[in-house]
Every structure is written in structure tokens, then in C-alpha cells.
Amino acid sequence: MAASSKPELRKFVTPEIVLGEGALSLIGQYATNFGARKVLMVTDHGVRSAGWADAVQKMLKEEGISHVVFDNVTPNPKDHEVMAGADVYRAENCDVIVVVGGGSPMDCAKAIGIVATNNRHVLDFEGMDEVLIPGPPLLCIPTTAGTSADVSQFAIITDTARQVKIAIISKTMVPDVALIDPVTTTTMPTELTAATGMDALVHAVEAYASNASSPLTDLNALEAIRLVHRHLSGAAREPRNMQHRNGMMLGSLLAGLAFSNAGLGLVHSMAHALGGRLDLPHGDCNAILLESVVRFNFPAAAGRYRAVGRAMGLHMEGSVSDGEKLAEALAHFRREVGIDQRLGLLGVTPAHIPDMARKAFHDPCLATNPAQPTVRDIEVIYEEAL
Ligand SMILES: [Fe+2]
């Protein structure tokens, strides 16, 4: 075999995963297995009012494990929220973190863990492989089907002074256990189902088009695209339909395994700059930007995007028009699940664009994008999405 045809070495990391209806009920047993004496439970107000935090607290109590709750977490978790959570962890002498919630509480909990063990400020960990000491055992119960922070190497935290989202990327950020129970997603409102589900679709598309993809991430990414395409509008329309909720939970998990190991791309770079500047919902930003980024990236990775189109049931002809066909299908899918606004309606103005484009250009997710844009290219994509 010629040296040039030898595949590159790729690693694939994942937590211990329990997937299926009822997975949540194993939390007491898992916390005991990790020797928990005092658990810091991280959650947010929405998850508490849906009743999932109470359910977990009850199970920890039944197992005789004491815990303290930290729920001061907002969407797009902020640096000061992480530092406050780490203060609680240390003051209460906690030894295990349990998180119940969507991407925001999960990212916040991951960051709390490394701040507590390294005794440093959360912003010191920005970038790739900057975490020296792993956090304490981290057990995740996701309550959305999309962000996949429960299986990923990423935590995204807002630097409130610079108004930018930083990415902490490290193998130490992979949680120890993900108890993935699709029943927890049945209380999500339609808009959250749509936004988080579109985030999962973007994870899968960006991981598949990534220049760090591998056969292992490809399998997960393509199946995730099929599952999200098949189940997202049904899950948004019928919140209690377990066939759709199970399909979305599996799709989100596979997309998470793919992007955690293959990286993301320009959609996430631009969504991070948007979310950091204007505190906008991550899934909506991704959904709105996806079609324009696909148009920009298509010439650099046409074969990859054609496979994405086929996974969505499109007939790809092998011509240059395939890129436009895929972009239009993605726009149609976004509108079908109820995300029909443009960035202008979310409060973005032309004056915001130059600064956001510069920040997106420096976002680490750009490293694995199949095409290298200039700052001006990124400005044009934002303008298109206004
Ligand atoms: Fe995302």
C-alpha cells in the first residue's frame, strides 16, 4: 500500500452511556458507584419547573447521598456563573457533580468541575488542551435532544467582559456518565425542541464536512442526519410522541459523538460570535446560518455535502446545482420546524457585523471547516442571513 493511502490516526472518545426510557432512574446507583458523599447538582429554573430536578433529588436522597443545588445558570452560561458554582462546590465540600438540564447547565457544570480542581479562573482554559487537572466525576442527565454536551469534549462559556463565547476543548471535559432518557425531553416546548434539534442537525453536518472527520465519526454523523430529518418536525408537533422523541434523542447522541471527535465548522464559529454579542439562542443562530454556510463551503467539499443531501432523501445529480438544492432543502426544513425568522428579527443590525465577523474568524471551530473564509467572506454570510 502506498504511504499516501494510509489513513490518518484518529481517536474517538466517549463517556459511559446509558440510553433509553428510564435511564434517569439510575442516577442514585451511579452516584454511589462513584463514591459520592456530597453531590453538587447543577440545573436551571426551567428544568426545575418541569420536575426533572426534583426527580433526581429524590433518587439521591433515597440512596442516602446528600446534595446541594446550584441553579443560577442562564442560557449561554456566563463566566461569573461558573465561578459562583465553583465557590459553592468548594464551600460545601462536594466530591461529585450531577447535572440535569440542557446545554447551558451542562457546559456550566463541566466548567465548574475544572475550575474547582485547578483553582483557576474559567477563562484561563480557553482553547484546546488547556486543562491540566480533570474535574471531579461528572454525571449528566440531558433534558434536550440537541446540544450533546453530555458526551462532548467541549464547553462553551460566555466571556462577559469581551462579549464573546470561549470554547474549552479537552478530553478532560468528556463527562464520566451520560444517562440519556428520552422521557425528559417530552416537557420541552415546541420552540426549544426545534432549536435544539436544529443544533443537532448542524453538529452532524459540520462533523461530516469537517476536515478532521474519520470513518467512525462519519457513520455517526450520517445516521444522525437521517434521524433528525425523520423525527424533528414530528417531535415539535407532538411533544409526547415517544417514537419521535426516541429518534431525536438517538440522533442528537450520534451527532454529539461525531462532532466531539471530528470538530465543527463555520456555522458554529459564527453562531458563537452572535450568541456572545447578543445573547441569542444557540440553536436558532445555527439554524439560520446553516444554509448560507453550506453555499459558501460546498465547492470545497462537494462530495461530502452531496452525501448530506442524500441522507436527507435528496437526489444529488453531481452538478454544481447540488449545493443550491441542499441549501434550499435545509432552509425548507428549518421553516417546517418553525424557525422562519432571519437574524434581523433577532435584533442583529449591519453595525454588529464587522466585529462579529472578526470574532468568528478567530473562533477555534473554524480550524476544522472544509473551506478557509476571509473576514469579508464571513461578513457577507452574516449579511445574507440578516
Ligand atoms: Fe451546537
Side-chain angles (χ1 to χ4, degrees):
M1 185 184 283
S4 60
S5 63
K6 193 174 164 186
E8 280 184 73
L9 293 174
R10 298 284 195 210
K11 76 177 172 187
F12 191 91
V13 295
T14 165
E16 179 174 341
I17 295 167
V18 182
L19 170 68
E21 295 179 37
L24 177 143
S25 66
L26 301 179
I27 187 62
Q29 187 189 317
Y30 268 91
T32 300
N33 292 349
F34 278 88
R37 290 188 316 273
K38 181 85 177 261
V39 163
L40 177 74
M41 194 179 103
V42 181
T43 186
D44 66 19
H45 298 290
V47 176
R48 284 193 102 167
S49 48
W52 302 116
D54 277 356
V56 170
Q57 284 180 273
K58 187 165 160 271
M59 284 164 203
L60 291 173
K61 267 188 209 138
E62 281 168 5
E63 206 67 28
I65 299 169
S66 64
H67 65 272
V68 56
V69 176
F70 178 75
D71 65 358
N72 226 339
V73 185
T74 54
N76 300 316
K78 322 286 184 281
D79 43 13
H80 55 84
E81 294 165 355
V82 173
M83 298 313 287
D87 285 345
V88 175
Y89 181 91
R90 285 184 290 234
E92 297 280 342
N93 287 315
C94 296
D95 49 13
V96 166
I97 299 178
V98 168
V99 51
V100 194
S104 300
M106 286 196 282
D107 279 354
C108 191
K110 290 162 99 169
I112 287 171
I114 55 169
V115 166
T117 50
N118 290 271
N119 268 318
R120 291 172 63 191
H121 194 277
V122 63
L123 299 177
D124 292 346
F125 302 106
E126 178 174 8
M128 183 94 77
D129 293 332
E130 295 293 334
V131 183
L132 223 56
I133 307 167
L138 175 63
L139 318 181
C140 292
I141 301 171
T143 58
T144 61
T147 61
S148 301
D150 49 306
V151 296
S152 83
Q153 307 188 56
F154 289 61
I156 307 296
I157 303 296
T158 299
D159 176 339
T160 48
R162 286 194 297 147
Q163 291 189 317
V164 64
K165 285 184 166 193
I166 65 149
I168 303 170
I169 309 167
S170 160
K171 196 168 74 170
T172 64
M173 299 302 273
V174 178
D176 294 278
V177 175
L179 300 178
I180 305 176
D181 190 335
V183 178
T184 63
T185 64
T186 56
T187 50
M188 269 197 291
T190 300
E191 303 75 43
L192 190 60
T193 298
T196 51
M198 286 302 292
D199 189 24
L201 180 67
V202 176
H203 291 158
V205 172
E206 294 215 285
Y208 191 71
S210 159
N211 55 28
S213 63
S214 72
L216 272 173
T217 59
D218 287 350
L219 279 173
N220 286 290
L222 284 180
E223 186 58 16
I225 293 165
R226 286 187 200 104
L227 284 163
V228 174
H229 185 251
R230 193 178 311 146
H231 292 290
L232 180 54
S233 47
R237 258 194 332 267
E238 305 168 50
R240 302 267 165 193
N241 181 319
M242 284 315 296
Q243 195 194 344
H244 292 312
R245 291 298 191 185
N246 280 314
M248 276 308 299
M249 209 49 154
L250 179 59
S252 164
L253 167 61
L254 299 182
L257 292 172
F259 94 76
S260 176
N261 291 285
L264 291 162
L266 181 56
V267 182
H268 270 78
S269 302
M270 295 179 67
H272 290 158
L274 261 173
R277 180 69 180 79
L278 293 155
D279 208 13
L280 299 174
H282 174 68
D284 289 326
C285 294
N286 274 333
I288 295 168
L289 292 165
L290 177 62
E291 66 226 37
S292 302
V293 171
V294 165
R295 282 191 189 98
F296 175 80
N297 278 347
F298 187 84
R304 291 260 144 186
Y305 284 109
R306 287 194 181 102
V308 168
R310 284 192 285 271
M312 291 175 63
L314 298 175
H315 177 64
M316 295 273 110
E317 289 154 14
S319 69
V320 283
S321 63
D322 287 344
E324 189 52 36
K325 195 184 219 179
L326 175 59
E328 276 173 20
L330 290 166
H332 176 79
F333 186 64
R334 160 175 71 76
R335 288 191 290 266
E336 189 183 293
V337 301
I339 303 177
D340 55 5
Q341 66 269 56
R342 308 299 290 150
L343 292 182
L345 274 177
L346 298 179
V348 182
T349 68
H352 290 120
I353 289 178
D355 179 51
M356 292 194 310
R358 268 194 307 277
K359 283 173 175 160
F361 184 79
H362 292 291
D363 186 277
C365 290
L366 197 56
T368 45
N369 194 63
Q372 177 59 54
T374 62
V375 174
R376 181 61 200 142
D377 290 330
I378 300 175
E379 287 179 351
V380 170
I381 298 171
Y382 276 131
E383 285 160 9
E384 237 184 74
L386 267 186

